[in-house]
Amino acid sequence: MSSQTRIADRAAVSAALADPALTMPRVPDGGPASGIRWLRRSVARFADGAEHDRRRRQATGLLAEVEPAGLRRLAAERTCAALEVIGGGPFDLMARVARVVPIDALVVALGMPPVPADVVTAVAKAYQPGTGAEEPADEAVARLVEAFGGVPDEPTAARVGLLVQTCDATAGLVGNAALAMLRADGERSVDAIVAETLLHDPPVRMTRRRASDTGAVVEIDLATGGCPFGAGPHQCPGQDHATAIAAGILEPVRGYALVNPQVQYERSAALRVPTELLVTR
Ligand code: HEM
């Protein structure tokens, strides 16, 4: 059955995300041994029950090694270095900073071998079933598995999964918060700007669940529901890391000016990520 219901009311959103009768929508079988379908079938994000618990422990175990304050410093340093290389601009903050620094900072903080951010972006484009071409994502997943030791098992999927989950959502948070900061004249702290952005212009707007009795897919509106990081068993385990990275990036960007305040967004039902943010010093 494929009928869709949308849940947007605040209390109903939290209840739905905690409801064991609403499980993760099924992900497709098949695909290469270390491709995008393998990745989806091997991470916490698309699993339920005991399988989900085990995989989530793998992800949180890795994240526990990364202290958010250190990650924030790392993100700030990497942003300063990027801005130094770029010079005055104008340049696209999304392509040069928001889509690169979060991945680079996390890779370093997690002690991972270097992986290019664009390879992670290629996986993220197709991570949700039906959102992007699988073939380039298959190649990109294979490259990441190779970089992480070449064995397509759950611990490797947990590491790839952390980078992929970071990718679009954190780029969106940085982009939306940068826009709020550069449009306003005030001197609010970057922490306040990030917190307000998560409430009023969150990067992840929607998630889906499947009613286990009827098979109907349910859309859950995280934006109106006031749950920017989700809730319940799948609630984002990387929220402190995400806000730390975003705040670290925003600090050195303060004082830049928007070249074009009219912003276009990526075509996505679930995400709100500026396609381009032209800024200049
Ligand atoms: C602004 C940035 C971020 C936002 C808004 C965000 C939001 C979310 C949301 C809403 C979910 C739950 C999806 C659902 O219930 O269907 C989620 C799951 C997840 N997020 Fe994030 N996320 C962000 C950044 C990160 C970062 C930086 C990491 C890791 C370092 C991360 C790791 C994860 C993981 C592993 C899951 C799956 C958890 C599970 O299924 O148990 N996220 N995220």
Side-chain angles (χ1 to χ4, degrees):
M1 203 203 262
S2 65
S3 68
Q4 293 220 346
T5 328
R6 192 168 180 98
I7 299 175
D9 170 76
R10 192 170 280 252
V13 164
S14 305
L17 291 169
D19 185 349
L22 292 176
T23 56
M24 280 297 166
R26 295 201 174 123
V27 290
D29 292 332
S34 50
I36 185 70
R37 293 187 176 201
W38 162 80
L39 179 66
R40 296 189 201 115
R41 286 198 304 271
S42 309
V43 288
R45 177 65 182 78
F46 301 103
D48 294 296
E51 203 166 62
H52 170 255
D53 293 345
R54 182 180 70 242
R55 295 171 180 178
R56 187 171 168 102
R57 276 197 301 277
Q58 291 164 352
T60 52
L62 291 166
L63 281 177
E65 303 293 314
V66 180
E67 210 247 312
L71 191 57
R72 178 175 178 150
R73 275 195 302 277
L74 205 52
E77 283 164 20
R78 297 241 150 191
T79 304
C80 288
L83 295 176
E84 184 79 27
V85 170
I86 293 164
F91 66 95
D92 177 11
L93 188 73
M94 295 307 296
R96 304 293 294 272
V97 176
R99 291 202 159 280
V100 181
V101 171
I103 304 294
D104 284 354
L106 200 64
V107 163
V108 171
L110 284 164
M112 289 173 168
V115 290
D118 61 346
V119 176
V120 180
T121 303
V123 181
K125 273 199 174 115
Y127 191 51
Q128 292 292 333
T131 53
E134 291 196 344
E135 219 168 87
D138 284 339
E139 272 174 41
V141 170
R143 279 186 66 183
L144 294 176
V145 170
E146 203 48 47
F148 296 158
V151 185
D153 57 9
E154 276 188 7
T156 301
R159 301 169 91 200
V160 175
L162 282 185
L163 299 184
V164 175
Q165 293 277 159
T166 300
C167 191
D168 286 330
T170 314
L173 178 59
V174 170
N176 298 343
L179 202 52
M181 180 174 81
L182 302 182
R183 273 179 178 159
D185 296 328
E187 273 298 307
R188 283 172 310 152
S189 71
V190 292
D191 300 82
I193 294 166
V194 168
E196 280 167 30
T197 303
L198 283 165
L199 278 185
H200 302 301
D201 195 13
V204 182
R205 322 291 276 200
M206 191 266 287
T207 190
R208 291 188 178 90
R209 295 290 187 273
R210 176 180 179 274
S212 39
D213 52 353
T214 63
V217 173
V218 179
E219 289 187 355
I220 303 176
D221 191 326
L222 301 173
T224 59
C227 289
F229 290 107
H234 287 272
Q235 182 172 38
C236 179
Q239 41 194 298
D240 292 345
H241 301 83
T243 51
I245 293 171
I249 292 177
L250 282 193
E251 201 73 75
V253 174
R254 195 189 274 288
Y256 279 64
L258 280 172
V259 173
N260 180 4
Q262 299 305 318
V263 173
Q264 308 285 322
Y265 292 87
E266 306 264 339
R267 282 167 63 90
S268 165
L271 297 169
R272 187 164 151 95
V273 183
T275 41
E276 186 183 76
L277 218 51
L278 281 185
V279 300
T280 185
R281 191 151 61 200

